[in-house]
Structures are given as C-alpha cells and as structure tokens.
PDB file of all heavy atoms in Angstrom:
ATOM      1  N   SER P   1       0.863  -1.176   0.000  1.00  0.00           N
ATOM      2  CA  SER P   1       0.000   0.000   0.000  1.00  0.00           C
ATOM      3  C   SER P   1       0.900   1.227   0.000  1.00  0.00           C
ATOM      4  O   SER P   1       2.091   1.142   0.266  1.00  0.00           O
ATOM      5  CB  SER P   1      -0.940  -0.011   1.198  1.00  0.00           C
ATOM      6  OG  SER P   1      -0.197   0.151   2.379  1.00  0.00           O
ATOM      7  N   GLU P   2       0.313   2.367  -0.267  1.00  0.00           N
ATOM      8  CA  GLU P   2       1.083   3.610  -0.375  1.00  0.00           C
ATOM      9  C   GLU P   2       1.507   4.152   0.986  1.00  0.00           C
ATOM     10  O   GLU P   2       2.380   4.978   1.079  1.00  0.00           O
ATOM     11  CB  GLU P   2       0.245   4.667  -1.111  1.00  0.00           C
ATOM     12  CG  GLU P   2      -0.121   4.269  -2.540  1.00  0.00           C
ATOM     13  CD  GLU P   2       1.094   4.168  -3.427  1.00  0.00           C
ATOM     14  OE1 GLU P   2       2.030   4.974  -3.269  1.00  0.00           O
ATOM     15  OE2 GLU P   2       1.119   3.273  -4.285  1.00  0.00           O
ATOM     16  N   SER P   3       0.881   3.717   2.066  1.00  0.00           N
ATOM     17  CA  SER P   3       1.188   4.281   3.379  1.00  0.00           C
ATOM     18  C   SER P   3       2.510   3.749   3.913  1.00  0.00           C
ATOM     19  O   SER P   3       2.956   2.677   3.556  1.00  0.00           O
ATOM     20  CB  SER P   3       0.058   3.966   4.358  1.00  0.00           C
ATOM     21  OG  SER P   3      -0.067   2.566   4.503  1.00  0.00           O
ATOM     22  N   SER P   4       3.110   4.514   4.812  1.00  0.00           N
ATOM     23  CA  SER P   4       4.381   4.108   5.412  1.00  0.00           C
ATOM     24  C   SER P   4       4.125   3.073   6.495  1.00  0.00           C
ATOM     25  O   SER P   4       2.999   2.889   6.953  1.00  0.00           O
ATOM     26  CB  SER P   4       5.102   5.322   5.997  1.00  0.00           C
ATOM     27  OG  SER P   4       4.409   5.763   7.150  1.00  0.00           O
ATOM     28  N   ASP P   5       5.195   2.441   6.961  1.00  0.00           N
ATOM     29  CA  ASP P   5       5.080   1.461   8.039  1.00  0.00           C
ATOM     30  C   ASP P   5       4.570   2.110   9.323  1.00  0.00           C
ATOM     31  O   ASP P   5       3.841   1.493  10.088  1.00  0.00           O
ATOM     32  CB  ASP P   5       6.432   0.793   8.299  1.00  0.00           C
ATOM     33  CG  ASP P   5       6.801  -0.180   7.191  1.00  0.00           C
ATOM     34  OD1 ASP P   5       5.892  -0.606   6.459  1.00  0.00           O
ATOM     35  OD2 ASP P   5       8.001  -0.501   7.076  1.00  0.00           O
ATOM     36  N   ASP P   6       4.934   3.387   9.562  1.00  0.00           N
ATOM     37  CA  ASP P   6       4.463   4.089  10.761  1.00  0.00           C
ATOM     38  C   ASP P   6       2.951   4.258  10.720  1.00  0.00           C
ATOM     39  O   ASP P   6       2.259   4.098  11.720  1.00  0.00           O
ATOM     40  CB  ASP P   6       5.132   5.458  10.902  1.00  0.00           C
ATOM     41  CG  ASP P   6       6.621   5.337  11.210  1.00  0.00           C
ATOM     42  OD1 ASP P   6       7.034   4.281  11.735  1.00  0.00           O
ATOM     43  OD2 ASP P   6       7.352   6.305  10.923  1.00  0.00           O
ATOM     44  N   ASP P   7       2.436   4.604   9.543  1.00  0.00           N
ATOM     45  CA  ASP P   7       0.995   4.776   9.389  1.00  0.00           C
ATOM     46  C   ASP P   7       0.258   3.465   9.627  1.00  0.00           C
ATOM     47  O   ASP P   7      -0.816   3.444  10.205  1.00  0.00           O
ATOM     48  CB  ASP P   7       0.650   5.293   7.989  1.00  0.00           C
ATOM     49  CG  ASP P   7       1.168   6.706   7.754  1.00  0.00           C
ATOM     50  OD1 ASP P   7       1.427   7.414   8.755  1.00  0.00           O
ATOM     51  OD2 ASP P   7       1.299   7.086   6.577  1.00  0.00           O
ATOM     52  N   LYS P   8       0.833   2.373   9.171  1.00  0.00           N
ATOM     53  CA  LYS P   8       0.182   1.073   9.308  1.00  0.00           C
ATOM     54  C   LYS P   8       0.048   0.669  10.768  1.00  0.00           C
ATOM     55  O   LYS P   8      -0.915   0.031  11.152  1.00  0.00           O
ATOM     56  CB  LYS P   8       0.980  -0.008   8.567  1.00  0.00           C
ATOM     57  CG  LYS P   8       0.935   0.123   7.088  1.00  0.00           C
ATOM     58  CD  LYS P   8       1.785  -0.970   6.476  1.00  0.00           C
ATOM     59  CE  LYS P   8       2.015  -0.726   5.017  1.00  0.00           C
ATOM     60  NZ  LYS P   8       2.938  -1.679   4.440  1.00  0.00           N
ATOM     61  N   SER P   9       1.021   1.029  11.569  1.00  0.00           N
ATOM     62  CA  SER P   9       1.029   0.563  12.950  1.00  0.00           C
ATOM     63  C   SER P   9       0.248   1.472  13.891  1.00  0.00           C
ATOM     64  O   SER P   9       0.064   1.153  15.048  1.00  0.00           O
ATOM     65  CB  SER P   9       2.461   0.413  13.444  1.00  0.00           C
ATOM     66  OG  SER P   9       3.096   1.670  13.437  1.00  0.00           O
ATOM     67  N   SER P  10      -0.181   2.597  13.406  1.00  0.00           N
ATOM     68  CA  SER P  10      -0.902   3.530  14.259  1.00  0.00           C
ATOM     69  C   SER P  10      -2.329   3.041  14.482  1.00  0.00           C
ATOM     70  O   SER P  10      -3.033   2.713  13.534  1.00  0.00           O
ATOM     71  CB  SER P  10      -0.915   4.917  13.596  1.00  0.00           C
ATOM     72  OG  SER P  10      -1.759   5.765  14.319  1.00  0.00           O
ATOM     73  N   PRO P  11      -2.785   3.022  15.743  1.00  0.00           N
ATOM     74  CA  PRO P  11      -4.152   2.570  16.012  1.00  0.00           C
ATOM     75  C   PRO P  11      -5.214   3.508  15.443  1.00  0.00           C
ATOM     76  O   PRO P  11      -6.329   3.100  15.186  1.00  0.00           O
ATOM     77  CB  PRO P  11      -4.240   2.539  17.544  1.00  0.00           C
ATOM     78  CG  PRO P  11      -2.953   3.019  18.072  1.00  0.00           C
ATOM     79  CD  PRO P  11      -2.041   3.313  16.938  1.00  0.00           C
ATOM     80  N   GLU P  12      -4.848   4.774  15.223  1.00  0.00           N
ATOM     81  CA  GLU P  12      -5.821   5.731  14.679  1.00  0.00           C
ATOM     82  C   GLU P  12      -6.013   5.575  13.179  1.00  0.00           C
ATOM     83  O   GLU P  12      -6.978   6.065  12.624  1.00  0.00           O
ATOM     84  CB  GLU P  12      -5.385   7.184  14.966  1.00  0.00           C
ATOM     85  CG  GLU P  12      -5.339   7.570  16.436  1.00  0.00           C
ATOM     86  CD  GLU P  12      -4.011   7.185  17.073  1.00  0.00           C
ATOM     87  OE1 GLU P  12      -2.973   7.232  16.393  1.00  0.00           O
ATOM     88  OE2 GLU P  12      -4.024   6.824  18.262  1.00  0.00           O
ATOM     89  N   THR P  13      -5.069   4.956  12.498  1.00  0.00           N
ATOM     90  CA  THR P  13      -5.146   4.837  11.055  1.00  0.00           C
ATOM     91  C   THR P  13      -6.169   3.773  10.683  1.00  0.00           C
ATOM     92  O   THR P  13      -6.068   2.634  11.122  1.00  0.00           O
ATOM     93  CB  THR P  13      -3.775   4.446  10.467  1.00  0.00           C
ATOM     94  OG1 THR P  13      -2.812   5.400  10.899  1.00  0.00           O
ATOM     95  CG2 THR P  13      -3.811   4.408   8.951  1.00  0.00           C
ATOM     96  N   PRO P  14      -7.172   4.171   9.899  1.00  0.00           N
ATOM     97  CA  PRO P  14      -8.154   3.156   9.482  1.00  0.00           C
ATOM     98  C   PRO P  14      -7.493   2.155   8.535  1.00  0.00           C
ATOM     99  O   PRO P  14      -6.600   2.505   7.764  1.00  0.00           O
ATOM    100  CB  PRO P  14      -9.239   3.970   8.765  1.00  0.00           C
ATOM    101  CG  PRO P  14      -8.583   5.260   8.394  1.00  0.00           C
ATOM    102  CD  PRO P  14      -7.460   5.481   9.368  1.00  0.00           C
ATOM    103  N   SER P  15      -7.924   0.922   8.610  1.00  0.00           N
ATOM    104  CA  SER P  15      -7.337  -0.086   7.737  1.00  0.00           C
ATOM    105  C   SER P  15      -7.757   0.174   6.302  1.00  0.00           C
ATOM    106  O   SER P  15      -8.882   0.575   6.027  1.00  0.00           O
ATOM    107  CB  SER P  15      -7.770  -1.483   8.173  1.00  0.00           C
ATOM    108  OG  SER P  15      -9.166  -1.590   8.068  1.00  0.00           O
ATOM    109  N   GLN P  16      -6.795  -0.006   5.403  1.00  0.00           N
ATOM    110  CA  GLN P  16      -7.052   0.211   3.988  1.00  0.00           C
ATOM    111  C   GLN P  16      -6.973  -1.115   3.270  1.00  0.00           C
ATOM    112  O   GLN P  16      -6.257  -2.021   3.695  1.00  0.00           O
ATOM    113  CB  GLN P  16      -5.998   1.162   3.394  1.00  0.00           C
ATOM    114  CG  GLN P  16      -6.011   2.541   4.012  1.00  0.00           C
ATOM    115  CD  GLN P  16      -4.904   3.400   3.418  1.00  0.00           C
ATOM    116  OE1 GLN P  16      -4.069   2.929   2.665  1.00  0.00           O
ATOM    117  NE2 GLN P  16      -4.920   4.675   3.753  1.00  0.00           N
ATOM    118  N   GLU P  17      -7.701  -1.211   2.220  1.00  0.00           N
ATOM    119  CA  GLU P  17      -7.659  -2.418   1.397  1.00  0.00           C
ATOM    120  C   GLU P  17      -6.285  -2.476   0.735  1.00  0.00           C
ATOM    121  O   GLU P  17      -5.824  -1.503   0.149  1.00  0.00           O
ATOM    122  CB  GLU P  17      -8.755  -2.359   0.338  1.00  0.00           C
ATOM    123  CG  GLU P  17      -8.739  -3.526  -0.580  1.00  0.00           C
ATOM    124  CD  GLU P  17      -9.964  -4.389  -0.398  1.00  0.00           C
ATOM    125  OE1 GLU P  17     -10.881  -4.007   0.358  1.00  0.00           O
ATOM    126  OE2 GLU P  17      -9.988  -5.439  -1.002  1.00  0.00           O
ATOM    127  N   SER P  18      -5.631  -3.605   0.824  1.00  0.00           N
ATOM    128  CA  SER P  18      -4.324  -3.754   0.208  1.00  0.00           C
ATOM    129  C   SER P  18      -4.471  -3.875  -1.293  1.00  0.00           C
ATOM    130  O   SER P  18      -5.429  -4.466  -1.793  1.00  0.00           O
ATOM    131  CB  SER P  18      -3.622  -5.001   0.741  1.00  0.00           C
ATOM    132  OG  SER P  18      -3.365  -4.849   2.106  1.00  0.00           O
ATOM    133  N   THR P  19      -3.520  -3.296  -1.986  1.00  0.00           N
ATOM    134  CA  THR P  19      -3.504  -3.394  -3.438  1.00  0.00           C
ATOM    135  C   THR P  19      -2.440  -4.404  -3.818  1.00  0.00           C
ATOM    136  O   THR P  19      -1.327  -4.340  -3.329  1.00  0.00           O
ATOM    137  CB  THR P  19      -3.153  -2.026  -4.067  1.00  0.00           C
ATOM    138  OG1 THR P  19      -4.048  -1.061  -3.553  1.00  0.00           O
ATOM    139  CG2 THR P  19      -3.241  -2.093  -5.575  1.00  0.00           C
ATOM    140  N   CYS P  20      -2.788  -5.305  -4.671  1.00  0.00           N
ATOM    141  CA  CYS P  20      -1.836  -6.329  -5.067  1.00  0.00           C
ATOM    142  C   CYS P  20      -0.891  -5.783  -6.123  1.00  0.00           C
ATOM    143  O   CYS P  20      -1.251  -4.913  -6.917  1.00  0.00           O
ATOM    144  CB  CYS P  20      -2.590  -7.540  -5.594  1.00  0.00           C
ATOM    145  SG  CYS P  20      -1.486  -8.916  -5.855  1.00  0.00           S
ATOM    146  N   VAL P  21       0.314  -6.311  -6.145  1.00  0.00           N
ATOM    147  CA  VAL P  21       1.329  -5.869  -7.093  1.00  0.00           C
ATOM    148  C   VAL P  21       0.844  -6.046  -8.526  1.00  0.00           C
ATOM    149  O   VAL P  21       1.050  -5.213  -9.373  1.00  0.00           O
ATOM    150  CB  VAL P  21       2.646  -6.650  -6.862  1.00  0.00           C
ATOM    151  CG1 VAL P  21       3.647  -6.329  -7.946  1.00  0.00           C
ATOM    152  CG2 VAL P  21       3.209  -6.313  -5.511  1.00  0.00           C
ATOM    153  N   ASP P  22       0.203  -7.132  -8.793  1.00  0.00           N
ATOM    154  CA  ASP P  22      -0.240  -7.422 -10.157  1.00  0.00           C
ATOM    155  C   ASP P  22      -1.670  -7.955 -10.094  1.00  0.00           C
ATOM    156  O   ASP P  22      -1.920  -9.021  -9.556  1.00  0.00           O
ATOM    157  CB  ASP P  22       0.687  -8.463 -10.780  1.00  0.00           C
ATOM    158  CG  ASP P  22       0.380  -8.724 -12.234  1.00  0.00           C
ATOM    159  OD1 ASP P  22      -0.737  -8.426 -12.682  1.00  0.00           O
ATOM    160  OD2 ASP P  22       1.261  -9.234 -12.921  1.00  0.00           O
ATOM    161  N   ASP P  23      -2.605  -7.183 -10.616  1.00  0.00           N
ATOM    162  CA  ASP P  23      -4.007  -7.591 -10.542  1.00  0.00           C
ATOM    163  C   ASP P  23      -4.321  -8.779 -11.430  1.00  0.00           C
ATOM    164  O   ASP P  23      -5.294  -9.484 -11.206  1.00  0.00           O
ATOM    165  CB  ASP P  23      -4.915  -6.412 -10.919  1.00  0.00           C
ATOM    166  CG  ASP P  23      -4.831  -5.306  -9.886  1.00  0.00           C
ATOM    167  OD1 ASP P  23      -4.629  -5.637  -8.703  1.00  0.00           O
ATOM    168  OD2 ASP P  23      -4.960  -4.131 -10.259  1.00  0.00           O
ATOM    169  N   VAL P  24      -3.525  -9.014 -12.467  1.00  0.00           N
ATOM    170  CA  VAL P  24      -3.778 -10.138 -13.368  1.00  0.00           C
ATOM    171  C   VAL P  24      -3.334 -11.447 -12.732  1.00  0.00           C
ATOM    172  O   VAL P  24      -4.057 -12.432 -12.730  1.00  0.00           O
ATOM    173  CB  VAL P  24      -3.051  -9.919 -14.716  1.00  0.00           C
ATOM    174  CG1 VAL P  24      -3.260 -11.110 -15.630  1.00  0.00           C
ATOM    175  CG2 VAL P  24      -3.533  -8.636 -15.365  1.00  0.00           C
ATOM    176  N   HIS P  25      -2.132 -11.479 -12.177  1.00  0.00           N
ATOM    177  CA  HIS P  25      -1.590 -12.666 -11.511  1.00  0.00           C
ATOM    178  C   HIS P  25      -1.155 -12.284 -10.101  1.00  0.00           C
ATOM    179  O   HIS P  25       0.015 -12.061  -9.851  1.00  0.00           O
ATOM    180  CB  HIS P  25      -0.391 -13.229 -12.287  1.00  0.00           C
ATOM    181  CG  HIS P  25      -0.736 -13.671 -13.663  1.00  0.00           C
ATOM    182  ND1 HIS P  25      -1.419 -14.826 -13.916  1.00  0.00           N
ATOM    183  CD2 HIS P  25      -0.501 -13.101 -14.865  1.00  0.00           C
ATOM    184  CE1 HIS P  25      -1.580 -14.971 -15.211  1.00  0.00           C
ATOM    185  NE2 HIS P  25      -1.039 -13.929 -15.815  1.00  0.00           N
ATOM    186  N   PRO P  26      -2.096 -12.197  -9.174  1.00  0.00           N
ATOM    187  CA  PRO P  26      -1.734 -11.699  -7.843  1.00  0.00           C
ATOM    188  C   PRO P  26      -0.965 -12.697  -6.982  1.00  0.00           C
ATOM    189  O   PRO P  26      -0.534 -12.358  -5.903  1.00  0.00           O
ATOM    190  CB  PRO P  26      -3.091 -11.391  -7.204  1.00  0.00           C
ATOM    191  CG  PRO P  26      -4.023 -12.323  -7.886  1.00  0.00           C
ATOM    192  CD  PRO P  26      -3.503 -12.490  -9.290  1.00  0.00           C
ATOM    193  N   THR P  27      -0.786 -13.903  -7.438  1.00  0.00           N
ATOM    194  CA  THR P  27      -0.113 -14.901  -6.610  1.00  0.00           C
ATOM    195  C   THR P  27       1.092 -15.485  -7.331  1.00  0.00           C
ATOM    196  O   THR P  27       1.212 -15.394  -8.546  1.00  0.00           O
ATOM    197  CB  THR P  27      -1.067 -16.059  -6.259  1.00  0.00           C
ATOM    198  OG1 THR P  27      -1.446 -16.722  -7.459  1.00  0.00           O
ATOM    199  CG2 THR P  27      -2.289 -15.563  -5.520  1.00  0.00           C
ATOM    200  N   PHE P  28       1.967 -16.058  -6.540  1.00  0.00           N
ATOM    201  CA  PHE P  28       3.042 -16.838  -7.124  1.00  0.00           C
ATOM    202  C   PHE P  28       3.254 -18.067  -6.266  1.00  0.00           C
ATOM    203  O   PHE P  28       2.897 -18.089  -5.093  1.00  0.00           O
ATOM    204  CB  PHE P  28       4.326 -16.024  -7.319  1.00  0.00           C
ATOM    205  CG  PHE P  28       4.902 -15.437  -6.074  1.00  0.00           C
ATOM    206  CD1 PHE P  28       5.914 -16.085  -5.398  1.00  0.00           C
ATOM    207  CD2 PHE P  28       4.455 -14.214  -5.582  1.00  0.00           C
ATOM    208  CE1 PHE P  28       6.474 -15.532  -4.254  1.00  0.00           C
ATOM    209  CE2 PHE P  28       5.000 -13.654  -4.448  1.00  0.00           C
ATOM    210  CZ  PHE P  28       6.013 -14.315  -3.781  1.00  0.00           C
ATOM    211  N   LEU P  29       3.789 -19.107  -6.876  1.00  0.00           N
ATOM    212  CA  LEU P  29       4.045 -20.358  -6.180  1.00  0.00           C
ATOM    213  C   LEU P  29       5.507 -20.440  -5.789  1.00  0.00           C
ATOM    214  O   LEU P  29       6.381 -20.103  -6.582  1.00  0.00           O
ATOM    215  CB  LEU P  29       3.719 -21.553  -7.080  1.00  0.00           C
ATOM    216  CG  LEU P  29       2.265 -21.919  -7.238  1.00  0.00           C
ATOM    217  CD1 LEU P  29       2.117 -23.030  -8.266  1.00  0.00           C
ATOM    218  CD2 LEU P  29       1.675 -22.364  -5.916  1.00  0.00           C
ATOM    219  N   VAL P  30       5.757 -20.885  -4.570  1.00  0.00           N
ATOM    220  CA  VAL P  30       7.116 -21.121  -4.097  1.00  0.00           C
ATOM    221  C   VAL P  30       7.190 -22.574  -3.651  1.00  0.00           C
ATOM    222  O   VAL P  30       6.346 -23.032  -2.878  1.00  0.00           O
ATOM    223  CB  VAL P  30       7.490 -20.195  -2.925  1.00  0.00           C
ATOM    224  CG1 VAL P  30       8.864 -20.538  -2.385  1.00  0.00           C
ATOM    225  CG2 VAL P  30       7.435 -18.747  -3.347  1.00  0.00           C
ATOM    226  N   ALA P  31       8.154 -23.286  -4.169  1.00  0.00           N
ATOM    227  CA  ALA P  31       8.365 -24.680  -3.764  1.00  0.00           C
ATOM    228  C   ALA P  31       9.774 -24.808  -3.211  1.00  0.00           C
ATOM    229  O   ALA P  31      10.720 -24.228  -3.745  1.00  0.00           O
ATOM    230  CB  ALA P  31       8.181 -25.612  -4.957  1.00  0.00           C
ATOM    231  N   LEU P  32       9.893 -25.553  -2.144  1.00  0.00           N
ATOM    232  CA  LEU P  32      11.184 -25.847  -1.539  1.00  0.00           C
ATOM    233  C   LEU P  32      11.306 -27.364  -1.480  1.00  0.00           C
ATOM    234  O   LEU P  32      10.459 -28.039  -0.908  1.00  0.00           O
ATOM    235  CB  LEU P  32      11.267 -25.238  -0.138  1.00  0.00           C
ATOM    236  CG  LEU P  32      12.621 -25.221   0.520  1.00  0.00           C
ATOM    237  CD1 LEU P  32      13.584 -24.336  -0.269  1.00  0.00           C
ATOM    238  CD2 LEU P  32      12.512 -24.712   1.944  1.00  0.00           C
TER     239      LEU P  32
END
C-alpha cells in the first residue's frame, strides 16, 4: 500500500484495502 510502516502501525489509522502488485496474476508459487 502507499502508506508508510508508521501509518500502518498507528491505532488511529483506518485499515485500507491492500492493493496487489499485479491484478492479473496476484499470486506466485514457491516450492522448496
């Protein structure tokens, strides 16, 4: 999201919907 880490941790800051990096393929697979 566009907000800073300080904004995220503040109790007064309303939660915002997160925006995904890529709306077409928002996920990736990781295998170990």
Side-chain angles (χ1 to χ4, degrees):
S1 67
E2 298 295 323
S3 61
S4 71
D5 287 340
D6 292 337
D7 294 339
K8 290 178 192 174
S9 63
S10 172
E12 296 85 34
T13 305
S15 62
Q16 298 177 353
E17 177 113 7
S18 295
T19 306
C20 189
V21 173
D22 185 340
D23 293 328
V24 178
H25 298 285
T27 63
F28 59 96
L29 282 174
V30 176
L32 191 64

